[in-house]
Amino acid sequence: MTPLGERLVRLIAASGPIGVGDFMAACLFDPQHGYYTTREPFGREGDFITAPEVSQMFGELVAVRLLQAWQAAGSPLPATIAEIGPGRGTLMKDIVRTLRRLAPDLASAADFALVEASPRLAAVQKETLRDAGPTFAWHATVDTLPRQPLFIAGNEIFDALPFRQFVRTDRGWVERAVGIDEDGAFRFVPGTSALPLDALAQKLRDAANGTIFEIAPAREALMSKIAGHIAMHGGAGIFFDYGHLAPSAGDTFQALRRHRSEDVFANPGEADLTSHVDFAALAAVARAHGLAVQATTQGEFLLAMGLLERAGSLGRAADDDGRARIAADVERLADPDQMGELFKVLIIRPNAADADR
């Protein structure tokens, strides 16, 4: 067992089971042994590849959408162009390059910010962006972003925040916790907290015993902070993640290590732990702040933004091998059997009267 796993076993043995969210938070963010605090998980040499690492086209089209949002808002300046959960800084680098080409007035006058809680990852981002052009500011939270219009992107940020699971039993919906068996191995056990009925979609209230339902207060809290900033100061947000557009039951807790799925208890602190994002819950938070919401799949978004046209433009300057790679990148980003359907997009902006157009 990993050092963090051994420590968690001792904690549970001494104090009792812990919630799934607490287990996930420890595995990802423990100062000494947490997954995100001790390693660089992104890219082919890491544990997973995100959309910005697949192709520059992804970041370019995100930049175009942010530019459109800025123009629709009346081209305000000063304004902040930000990314939350920037990974290695690849997406921001592509955004900056694209804006410098398409909107030099915005690129030269905007404040560019990255919201990153990990000093280790911030150092990686600084190296990636060293020659990107503008001056960048790093923030540990969205709370310290400038009080001005905010145009913010986030890719696979919400799935990394802890969530809670509840299981339907004869006693109602009971929180799912992590305990240990007689051999000291992790296992799921019933917790003590109950799930309020108002957290459930109507169709799930009569679900069969054994059904699992997930909620993520930490994700909704983050969305509330971002939406509150945009509601007060203007701007827009665009967020990509894997998940579902409508409330759905099911166990989506998963671990990824070396580009392969594994048991969530196999390597605490050495595997990425995630779950599917409930985009309906995030959308409800944004609407509560009076914002308009648009939600769709990643494939539909990228194709509507001109993914095929951009691929064709890049292909004209490439050789046969290059065109084959570009075609493979398009398929990976937008094909329903790859990232196109599983990954969703949520766009938030002011003017709730325009929601869902």
Side-chain angles (χ1 to χ4, degrees):
M1 186 174 288
T2 65
L4 179 60
E6 292 174 351
R7 191 202 307 166
L8 290 173
V9 166
R10 292 194 298 270
L11 172 66
I12 293 170
S15 304
I18 60 176
V20 167
D22 292 331
F23 179 84
M24 178 178 175
C27 290
L28 295 183
F29 305 114
D30 179 83
Q32 287 183 297
H33 301 292
Y35 181 74
Y36 282 112
T37 54
T38 59
R39 69 199 64 233
E40 184 184 328
F42 312 100
R44 300 185 188 281
E45 301 303 317
D47 291 315
F48 54 86
I49 299 176
T50 61
E53 305 285 346
V54 171
S55 170
Q56 69 183 67
M57 295 183 288
F58 180 84
E60 291 169 346
L61 296 178
V62 171
V64 171
R65 188 64 186 87
L66 291 176
L67 174 58
Q68 291 174 345
W70 178 72
Q71 292 170 335
S75 303
L77 287 173
T80 302
I81 307 296
E83 182 185 359
I84 184 166
R88 296 198 298 191
T90 304
L91 175 57
M92 178 57 82
K93 186 174 183 179
D94 289 337
I95 288 173
V96 168
R97 188 187 69 255
T98 304
L99 292 180
R100 293 181 74 186
R101 185 176 74 251
L102 298 180
D105 53 341
L106 173 60
S108 61
D111 296 310
F112 287 89
L114 296 96
V115 182
E116 177 57 71
S118 166
R120 186 180 186 282
L121 288 176
V124 174
Q125 295 151 16
K126 289 175 182 179
E127 181 61 26
T128 298
L129 297 169
R130 184 163 49 90
D131 299 319
T135 300
F136 297 93
W138 271 260
H139 298 258
T141 73
V142 298
D143 299 319
T144 58
L145 289 170
R147 297 178 181 272
Q148 60 194 31
L150 171 66
F151 300 87
I152 185 168
N155 183 67
E156 295 194 50
I157 175 64
F158 288 101
D159 71 272
L161 298 180
F163 70 110
R164 300 171 70 187
Q165 288 188 321
F166 292 81
V167 58
R168 181 62 185 259
T169 71
D170 291 333
R171 297 183 289 124
W173 291 90
V174 176
E175 185 157 17
R176 202 181 192 200
V178 178
I180 54 174
D181 61 20
E182 58 275 8
D183 296 320
F186 294 114
R187 66 186 181 98
F188 289 112
V189 299
T192 57
S193 300
L195 178 65
L197 286 179
D198 59 7
L200 286 169
Q202 184 66 41
K203 65 180 181 180
L204 296 176
R205 294 189 178 183
D206 297 322
N209 282 359
T211 302
I212 292 174
F213 186 66
E214 300 171 342
I215 63 173
R219 298 172 186 177
E220 294 174 27
L222 175 59
M223 176 55 73
S224 184
K225 286 187 177 184
I226 296 171
H229 184 117
I230 292 173
M232 181 173 293
H233 302 291
I238 179 168
F239 308 99
F240 299 79
D241 226 312
Y242 51 86
H244 40 270
L245 295 176
S248 177
D251 180 5
T252 72
F253 193 18
Q254 57 191 324
L256 189 67
R257 184 168 179 257
R258 298 173 183 170
H259 301 275
R260 294 184 179 182
S261 296
E262 67 176 28
D263 187 278
V264 294
F265 297 143
N267 292 284
E270 296 182 2
D272 185 30
L273 298 182
T274 67
S275 72
H276 286 200
V277 173
D278 182 350
F279 279 85
L282 298 183
V285 171
R287 290 192 182 99
H289 284 274
L291 300 184
V293 170
Q294 178 186 354
T296 186
T297 66
Q298 177 173 295
E300 291 173 342
F301 169 83
L302 292 176
L303 292 173
M305 289 298 300
L307 177 64
L308 296 181
E309 292 80 1
R310 181 54 177 154
S313 176
L314 291 174
R316 284 192 290 273
D319 57 18
D320 290 344
D321 289 341
R323 283 190 287 273
R325 285 193 297 270
I326 292 169
D329 292 343
V330 168
E331 186 173 359
R332 181 160 189 178
L333 290 172
D335 189 279
D337 293 328
Q338 297 199 47
M339 300 177 76
E341 185 72 25
L342 175 61
F343 280 75
K344 309 300 191 299
V345 187
L346 182 69
I347 299 172
I348 63 174
R349 63 193 190 282
N351 302 319
D354 296 330
D356 301 318
R357 287 199 309 179

